[in-house]
Amino acid sequence: IARFMSEYGFQSFPELKTVKKYALPEDFDIYSEVMKSHQRSSIGNGTIEYYMLQDYKKPKDFESFLYVNQVLQAEGIKFALEGHRRAAPFCMGSLYWQINDCWPVASWSSTDYYQNWKALQYYAKKGFEPVLVSPYSDKDSLKVDIINDRLSEIKAQLIVKVIDLEGNEIWKEVKDAVVPPNSSNTFFGVKTIPFLAKVLPTQQMMVVELLENNKIISNNILYFKPIKNIALPSPEVKYDITQIEGGYEITLSTNKLAKNLYLTIGDFDGFFSDNYFDLLPGQKQVVKLETKITRDELVKNLTIRTLEKAF
């Protein structure tokens, strides 16, 4: 962590819709000549796979690899940018490389050549919100910091809880938090070993919420183990579609953790207001889809993926 992080990044491939514009099905392998020619780093594709297998199981097919790789990139940058923001005022800048591409390619970008948002763009949008609650592991402790880039004080309520993958509450602590303007401070901390001795690290997670006037202004999740070691369930994700001006609203709910829920309408054009997010049991998430396709086309082509199905 430097005084100003002016460039850092990690690569990902674009989504399948973009890859189809330069590769045929017989090229759908990250080590095919076509895929390697759309990668300008000599160690790029192998490096992506190497780091993926540190935290995730091996994806079952090419399309799943593209999806997991986007999550990997987003989680990597999330880890960095939250660390930079927590380190304020020592670190007062965080610029990841990069935002876009000059051709359809595997790269460090957060939007692809056709300006489709990768998982990273959604993560960056949340990670750079003016108010951020950030749970993390620090040496022998688990901590929660609150970053406030507003120029006014926040009188908030911090909720830290442990839930299982079905949404059952295991442990909870609620405390008032007076957050100074333009600040980054620690508001919660416990010793890791005794705390984890009371939970099931592969079946439970820490959920953190920051409330102002009883409204959640920031939330975050900390998993205690690498995702490949988490016993991810197979959720039943339900959704309702409401037509609105310029597209649709999709209201989602789940009975179990839906890890990195990913919405796609295949080769059709459209923009989802949120994607690749973790949907918790008992929550409802409304995602807006800007598109010109008909309702029948949407119902026929809407696909919802969750991480456990990628392996």
Side-chain angles (χ1 to χ4, degrees), residues 240-300:
D240 292 313
I241 298 173
T242 304
Q243 191 155 4
I244 59 174
E245 184 177 355
Y248 305 88
E249 280 187 346
I250 304 171
T251 303
L252 299 137
S253 61
T254 182
N255 64 333
K256 300 177 183 179
L257 170 67
K259 186 84 180 76
N260 297 117
L261 190 151
Y262 169 53
L263 300 156
T264 176
I265 49 176
D267 295 335
F268 286 98
D269 290 330
F271 173 72
F272 292 97
S273 62
D274 200 2
N275 225 337
Y276 302 93
F277 54 86
D278 292 355
L279 182 62
L280 301 180
Q283 289 186 349
K284 285 192 175 181
Q285 178 86 358
V286 178
V287 176
K288 293 182 180 179
L289 169 61
E290 298 175 19
T291 185
K292 295 181 179 178
I293 66 175
T294 66
R295 185 185 180 92
D296 287 344
E297 288 174 327
L298 173 59
V299 171
K300 184 178 179 181

Side-chain angles (χ1 to χ4, degrees), residues 188-238:
F188 172 86
V190 291
K191 292 297 183 182
T192 303
I193 292 177
F195 186 82
L196 293 186
K198 301 175 185 178
V199 305
L200 299 173
T202 63
Q203 301 174 40
Q204 297 167 0
M205 54 193 167
M206 180 183 285
V207 177
V208 184
E209 298 172 338
L210 188 67
L211 281 68
E212 183 182 33
N213 299 322
N214 295 316
K215 179 182 178 183
I216 296 175
I217 57 173
S218 183
N219 55 31
N220 217 327
I221 299 174
L222 177 67
Y223 294 92
F224 301 120
K225 294 288 184 179
I227 297 302
K228 67 180 179 182
N229 297 327
I230 302 293
L232 292 178
S234 295
E236 181 184 349
V237 178
K238 296 182 178 180

Side-chain angles (χ1 to χ4, degrees), residues 23-307:
L24 298 172
E26 55 264 35
D27 303 315
F28 288 179
D29 183 301
I30 66 165
Y31 296 110
S32 71
E33 288 303 313
V34 170
M35 294 302 294
K36 287 193 295 183
S37 73
H38 285 256
Q39 163 63 270
R40 304 319 296 170
S41 170
S42 60
I43 61 169
N45 291 1
T47 300
I48 289 171
E49 184 175 47
Y50 173 81
Y51 281 104
M52 180 184 291
L53 297 178
Q54 307 303 303
D55 281 320
Y56 300 92
K57 298 175 183 176
K58 187 175 179 64
K60 64 183 179 182
D61 53 34
F62 181 73
E63 184 174 3
S64 297
F65 191 101
L66 300 181
Y67 159 61
V68 178
N69 176 207
Q70 290 213 10
V71 173
L72 171 70
Q73 180 196 35
E75 290 286 354
I77 301 303
K78 177 181 188 288
F79 181 85
L81 74 85
E82 288 194 14
H84 301 157
R85 294 193 67 187
R86 289 194 305 263
F90 177 82
C91 178
M92 291 298 286
S94 185
L95 295 175
Y96 69 86
W97 178 267
Q98 67 206 68
I99 191 167
N100 57 3
D101 286 325
C102 63
W103 69 312
V105 65
S107 82
W108 303 264
S109 69
S110 58
T111 64
D112 70 24
Y113 174 72
Y114 300 100
Q115 291 164 21
N116 300 304
W117 282 27
K118 295 182 180 180
L120 172 54
Q121 187 73 7
Y122 290 101
Y123 274 49
K125 182 177 184 292
K126 297 171 186 175
F128 285 115
E129 288 286 344
V131 180
L132 174 70
V133 60
S134 177
Y136 63 104
S137 176
D138 181 33
K139 298 178 182 177
D140 62 346
S141 300
L142 298 173
K143 298 180 179 179
V144 177
D145 285 14
I146 301 174
I147 298 94
N148 177 20
D149 282 353
R150 296 181 188 172
L151 299 182
S152 57
E153 180 182 84
I154 300 174
K155 293 182 178 179
Q157 189 177 58
L158 177 65
I159 300 175
V160 183
K161 56 188 175 181
V162 174
I163 67 171
D164 66 19
L165 304 179
E166 285 74 42
N168 300 304
E169 189 176 287
I170 310 301
W171 172 90
K172 182 178 181 179
E173 182 171 313
V174 181
K175 60 191 301 184
D176 292 331
V178 178
V179 189
N182 199 25
S183 68
S184 173
N185 293 296
T186 301
F187 284 81
F188 172 86
V190 291
K191 292 297 183 182
T192 303
I193 292 177
F195 186 82
L196 293 186
K198 301 175 185 178
V199 305
L200 299 173
T202 63
Q203 301 174 40
Q204 297 167 0
M205 54 193 167
M206 180 183 285
V207 177
V208 184
E209 298 172 338
L210 188 67
L211 281 68
E212 183 182 33
N213 299 322
N214 295 316
K215 179 182 178 183
I216 296 175
I217 57 173
S218 183
N219 55 31
N220 217 327
I221 299 174
L222 177 67
Y223 294 92
F224 301 120
K225 294 288 184 179
I227 297 302
K228 67 180 179 182
N229 297 327
I230 302 293
L232 292 178
S234 295
E236 181 184 349
V237 178
K238 296 182 178 180
Y239 64 90
D240 292 313
I241 298 173
T242 304
Q243 191 155 4
I244 59 174
E245 184 177 355
Y248 305 88
E249 280 187 346
I250 304 171
T251 303
L252 299 137
S253 61
T254 182
N255 64 333
K256 300 177 183 179
L257 170 67
K259 186 84 180 76
N260 297 117
L261 190 151
Y262 169 53
L263 300 156
T264 176
I265 49 176
D267 295 335
F268 286 98
D269 290 330
F271 173 72
F272 292 97
S273 62
D274 200 2
N275 225 337
Y276 302 93
F277 54 86
D278 292 355
L279 182 62
L280 301 180
Q283 289 186 349
K284 285 192 175 181
Q285 178 86 358
V286 178
V287 176
K288 293 182 180 179
L289 169 61
E290 298 175 19
T291 185
K292 295 181 179 178
I293 66 175
T294 66
R295 185 185 180 92
D296 287 344
E297 288 174 327
L298 173 59
V299 171
K300 184 178 179 181
N301 291 278
L302 178 65
T303 300
I304 299 175
R305 295 195 65 155
T306 48
L307 192 64

